[in-house]
Amino acid sequence: MDAHARKLGLVIFDCDGVLVDSEPLSLACLTAGLNRIGVAIDFETVRARFTGTSMVSIMEHIARDYGVTAPPGFVEAVKAETLALFDTELTAMRGVAAAVEALGLPACVASSSDPVRLRHSLSLTGLLPLFGERVFSSAQVARGKPFPDLFLFAAARMGAAPEACLVIEDSVPGVTAARSAGMRVAGFTGGGHWGHDPAGADLLRAGAGRIFSDFSDLAGVIAGA
């Protein structure tokens, strides 16, 4: 790849588990909801299998592997419970606002969350003004992560070539999607759901080029991308 192609032109942030520390909250709501409809699954299994995955993909997995079809209104109920919990407990990742403000590069958000939850999360934590309309959801593409569609869509909307993009991700499906899109990836393990593996071994195996856990290190991550 020539020097021009290697030049970084866009930073794409996942939202949940990267910009906001939402995964412990949303995974807990999902686990409780699945238990209510007869799915014998614990929090750790939900975290390992579903972090970074859209609700559509999650429910397909549950029907296929557990033989449980969610009753009408289940997804909407879990989403409502999650948003209610966010209202009282959701926080931005430490130092993320200052790090984004200091980027000196175009930036956007590309998340598996539905548009309502995504903008609600960014608004609650005061991060939405940093991105404005540069917020993209898996609801806008045919296939969510681990497929590359969302990241390619975000790059196209931002006018950036895939090879000029760096994605900041906290999940294996997200890293896989970014790599499939031909983008560079840094794995973030500063969220509350990464206590099991702060070194990010799973993310490295999936193709992340570097792991970091504090946004004070973002400038160095970008410089080395």
Side-chain angles (χ1 to χ4, degrees), residues 9 11 20-21 23 38 66 102 120 133 161 163 190 196:
V11 181
V20 300
D21 200 8
E23 292 293 15
Y66 290 85
H120 187 65
E133 296 303 311
E163 61 269 20
H196 66 291

Side-chain angles (χ1 to χ4, degrees), residues 36-74:
R36 284 199 304 269
I37 63 170
V39 180
I41 193 168
D42 60 18
F43 178 90
E44 182 56 29
T45 303
V46 169
R47 183 206 60 75
R49 293 185 180 178
F50 301 139
T51 298
T53 305
S54 69
M55 281 296 283
V56 171
S57 296
I58 290 169
M59 298 322 298
E60 289 174 350
H61 179 106
I62 292 298
R64 182 182 67 247
D65 292 356
Y66 290 85
V68 176
T69 300
F74 171 78

